[in-house]
Amino acid sequence: MRWEGNRESDNVEDRRGDGGGGGGGFSFGGGSLSIGGVVIALILSFVFGINPLTLLGGMGGGGGVPQQATSQRAPANDTETRFMRTVLADTEDTWSALFSAQGAQYQPPKLVLFDGRTATGCGTGQSSTGPFYCPADRKVYIDLDFYRLMQQRFHVSGEFAQAYVIAHEVGHHVQHLLGVSDQVHQAQQNASEAEGNAMSVRLELQADCFAGVWAFHANRSRQILEQGDVEAALSAATAIGDDALQRQAQGYVVPDSFTHGTSAQRTRWFRTGLETGDVAKCDTFNTRQL
């Protein structure tokens, strides 16, 4: 992925080393979190969920106990951090242009880098929940160790695959700005568990499509894609499909419990955004064929 020399965003909070770690880290053979033995609900929230803190009792902007503010510092200047700032800036430029074309103003989210755990507007965020977006404070949270997990556990690597993670979470921010996520959460209040899960799937697939829309416009404007980049992102989408995760964890799938979409659905909707660049094509709520 070509990104060196492009604009870097100032909307980044670096909370790494603030003393919030401990108890939230990854463990691959024992200790605080064993992926092989974790319950399926946590596995499904572990990758690219709109707000995995719902499993911990925190949801959106309501019901949570206000968290103590965490100190902020300028982000480090290592290659990985500069990459994150550059990808975030690219999403800002892309969505600002798309919103402006519709006579609206885009309000970018903050990106918070942390390790272990950190205070959020949705409760205490932990590394074990993976990257997530909190609508209450309009921030995307990520522990960069997640990228190591992508490579070690799911055999997915490459900068564009990492950018897809951020673009997906920013897609949830766009949904929040458009009012889509609020409508879905309200509808889920009066829905059965299976119906609520089906709504979550459509929300996640739309975020995948929005990530593809970003990639289309970013590549057209700044030629960011290199050979193999799209394949890496599609491999990431395939690896974290609900069916793939459930089959890996328990040997069989339970479609009614899907919350993010199958591997085929996730790759299809990401590719839809990537090939068209059209936000209107990302209407996952008014289509029978996901």
Side-chain angles (χ1 to χ4, degrees):
M1 176 178 171
R2 301 183 186 93
W3 62 273
E4 292 276 8
N6 291 342
R7 185 179 75 83
E8 298 180 15
S9 175
D10 293 325
N11 291 316
V12 177
E13 297 178 21
D14 193 345
R15 300 182 185 175
R16 293 172 294 178
D18 279 348
F26 301 122
S27 173
F28 296 98
S32 62
L33 176 66
S34 175
I35 297 299
V38 74
V39 294
I40 192 63
L42 183 55
I43 293 179
L44 295 180
S45 74
F46 192 75
V47 283
F48 311 156
I50 182 171
N51 185 8
L53 296 177
T54 55
L55 296 176
L56 306 177
M59 182 62 240
V65 177
Q67 301 296 310
Q68 184 176 0
T70 306
S71 62
Q72 301 179 20
R73 70 169 69 86
N77 202 40
D78 57 282
T79 300
E80 191 171 37
T81 304
R82 289 191 295 106
F83 172 74
M84 300 295 288
R85 292 202 301 260
T86 302
V87 171
L88 184 64
D90 214 309
T91 65
E92 292 169 352
D93 295 343
T94 296
W95 286 109
S96 291
L98 290 173
F99 269 59
S100 179
Q102 298 300 318
Q105 184 175 3
Y106 179 64
Q107 301 170 332
K110 291 272 189 178
L111 174 64
V112 178
L113 308 178
F114 73 100
D115 48 27
R117 61 180 61 190
T118 192
T120 83
C122 300
T124 300
Q126 300 188 52
S127 298
S128 56
T129 58
F132 63 94
Y133 171 68
C134 174
D137 57 20
R138 297 187 174 189
K139 294 180 180 181
V140 171
Y141 292 84
I142 184 169
D143 183 328
L144 295 184
D145 278 345
F146 179 76
Y147 290 142
R148 261 71 75 183
L149 176 74
M150 282 178 62
Q151 184 171 7
Q152 296 172 18
R153 184 65 183 177
F154 302 115
H155 309 292
V156 173
S157 60
E159 290 175 336
F160 188 62
Q162 296 177 5
Y164 159 66
V165 175
I166 300 303
H168 175 97
E169 298 306 335
V170 170
H172 283 310
H173 175 66
V174 172
Q175 289 173 320
H176 178 62
L177 295 179
L178 297 177
V180 175
S181 52
D182 286 344
Q183 292 179 37
V184 170
H185 294 149
Q186 290 173 8
Q188 286 175 322
Q189 301 305 309
N190 299 316
S192 67
E193 182 177 358
E195 291 170 339
N197 288 342
M199 295 179 201
S200 292
V201 167
R202 291 179 184 270
L203 198 67
E204 294 295 333
L205 294 179
Q206 186 178 66
D208 280 330
C209 189
F210 283 172
V213 168
W214 158 74
F216 172 92
H217 290 281
N219 188 55
R220 187 171 67 173
S221 299
R222 291 171 286 283
Q223 295 77 50
I224 64 170
L225 293 180
E226 296 181 296
Q227 185 175 1
D229 282 347
V230 172
E231 290 76 12
L234 292 175
S235 294
T238 298
I240 47 77
D242 283 335
D243 53 341
L245 289 173
Q246 288 190 0
R247 193 172 289 111
Q248 183 184 65
Q250 59 193 26
Y252 59 92
V253 300
V254 183
D256 283 349
S257 69
F258 289 175
T259 58
H260 290 64
T262 66
S263 296
Q265 289 169 339
R266 299 201 72 165
T267 56
R268 177 193 169 197
W269 283 100
F270 174 71
R271 189 182 288 277
T272 295
L274 178 64
E275 292 178 350
T276 68
D278 187 353
V279 173
K281 298 292 185 183
C282 296
D283 186 0
T284 57
F285 295 94
N286 290 299
T287 180
R288 293 183 179 180
Q289 182 69 35
L290 288 178

